[in-house]
Amino acid sequence: MSKLTLPSNLESERNTKIGKLQKQAEQVDIIKYVKFSLYAGIIFAIGAFLYVGSWYDKQYGFDGSAGAAIFAAIGVLIIFAIIGAVIGNSVKQFYLREIERVKVHYDNMLKEIEASHAESAATLSREAAALHSKFANNEHIQTIIANATKNFIGRIQQMPRPNNRKAIECSARFSVQKSSIWYEHEQVLSFGPEGRIRLRELSSAAERKAVAQVIADNVAAQVKAMFPKDPSGADTLVTVACGDDKNSIIEAVVTYSCTNGFYEDEIPW
């Protein structure tokens, strides 16, 4: 019923790795790489200065040789500065790519978890559906359905519908455990070895889901039959959401919703 997330240990591991890589990326100072590259470039700049100056002097004479040598040295330094900037940016981009790689890795892990959960949920739903008829006519469950429906209908009828509220919504929650069923206004049916009624425990998740589904579906059907229209005149929607985890507790929620037929737009002055 809720969106799946990574287990806490994997989420912590993911965040730690990403945090470390982000810190490393932030610590990359491209200017430092430029400076370091220029230190190495100075040696080549001096060599270029001497070589170009000597070559120019031999080819064209002394006049202008100093200028050519200086331009050659400056050109070498510019090239090394660019190389330093490229290296620094490459290092930064490496850490950023690693961050994306880590995100993709854990996203894929979550997809595998979701696929496994979906397969497990589908299996649980099939098993619960096969048990539906076993619980549908049980007198204790029918009593819960009758009581829960009566209470839920009462709450729907008593809901305020002021003209400043656009929507109406009301929910009933049912919690099915191994040896008890909790429903409207904390009412509970206790059974099992120490329960009020000597009924066998609902030992499997499929049994618990089947019971939760039977109760919720019947309550929803009766509420929908009672309220094809809301007292405010609006069309109604009654939905059922039932847990699909193989937990010791299976929850089902029946939700009644509609627009408020009494709603009025504000009148401008």
Side-chain angles (χ1 to χ4, degrees):
M1 295 172 68
S2 59
K3 183 176 175 61
L4 286 178
T5 57
L6 283 171
S8 57
N9 61 320
L10 291 179
E11 183 71 21
S12 176
E13 182 179 276
R14 172 187 181 277
N15 292 340
T16 298
K17 288 181 179 180
I18 290 175
K20 183 178 179 180
L21 288 168
Q22 284 177 333
K23 186 175 181 181
Q24 289 173 318
E26 291 168 359
Q27 288 175 340
V28 174
D29 188 345
I30 295 177
I31 299 300
K32 287 183 179 179
Y33 280 86
V34 172
K35 289 180 179 178
F36 182 80
S37 183
L38 284 173
Y39 293 147
I42 288 173
I43 298 173
F44 289 90
I46 293 172
F49 178 86
L50 296 174
Y51 176 80
V52 171
S54 175
W55 176 85
Y56 192 95
D57 186 37
K58 289 178 182 179
Q59 295 292 325
Y60 305 106
F62 181 75
D63 288 344
S65 62
I70 291 172
F71 277 117
I74 292 173
V76 169
L77 290 175
I78 290 173
I79 290 171
F80 271 82
I82 293 172
I83 291 172
V86 169
I87 293 173
N89 185 63
S90 296
V91 172
K92 191 179 189 72
Q93 292 303 315
F94 167 78
Y95 288 123
L96 295 176
R97 285 195 299 272
E98 282 296 293
I99 290 173
E100 291 306 311
R101 186 187 66 79
V102 169
K103 288 180 179 179
V104 169
H105 173 70
Y106 284 94
D107 284 347
N108 288 337
M109 291 181 68
L110 179 57
K111 288 178 182 177
E112 290 177 3
I113 292 172
E114 287 174 337
S116 175
H117 179 272
E119 183 178 349
S120 177
T123 301
L124 179 59
S125 293
R126 286 194 298 270
E127 293 173 350
L131 295 170
H132 189 277
S133 60
K134 176 181 177 179
F135 298 104
N137 297 315
N138 181 277
E139 61 176 311
H140 302 291
I141 292 177
Q142 288 299 318
T143 298
I144 291 175
I145 291 170
N147 291 338
T149 301
K150 180 181 177 181
N151 290 335
F152 194 24
I153 287 174
R155 288 200 290 124
I156 292 170
Q157 290 172 329
Q158 294 169 14
M159 275 194 306
R161 293 168 172 80
N163 62 3
N164 63 345
R165 181 183 296 177
K166 282 188 175 182
I168 301 296
E169 184 172 296
C170 186
S171 295
R173 186 177 299 272
F174 307 94
S175 177
V176 181
Q177 305 178 30
K178 288 183 178 181
S179 57
S180 63
I181 301 172
W182 294 76
Y183 56 108
E184 287 288 279
H185 301 297
E186 299 301 314
Q187 295 186 58
V188 59
L189 172 67
S190 297
F191 46 90
E194 298 179 3
R196 181 170 57 86
I197 301 174
R198 287 190 55 78
L199 290 171
R200 180 181 60 79
E201 286 188 339
L202 299 170
S203 56
S204 73
E207 286 184 319
R208 295 190 289 276
K209 182 176 175 68
V211 169
Q213 196 78 57
V214 165
I215 294 171
D217 286 347
N218 276 273
V219 171
Q222 293 185 41
V223 169
K224 183 63 178 176
M226 180 72 181
F227 295 103
K229 293 276 188 182
D230 183 71
S232 67
D235 291 331
T236 60
L237 177 65
V238 182
T239 59
V240 174
C242 190
D244 51 19
D245 291 318
K246 290 187 176 180
N247 298 327
S248 59
I249 301 174
I250 298 288
E251 284 196 340
V253 179
V254 180
T255 303
Y256 172 96
S257 60
C258 65
T259 57
N260 182 7
F262 298 143
Y263 176 76
E264 296 177 358
D265 290 324
E266 289 183 344
I267 301 172
W269 290 93

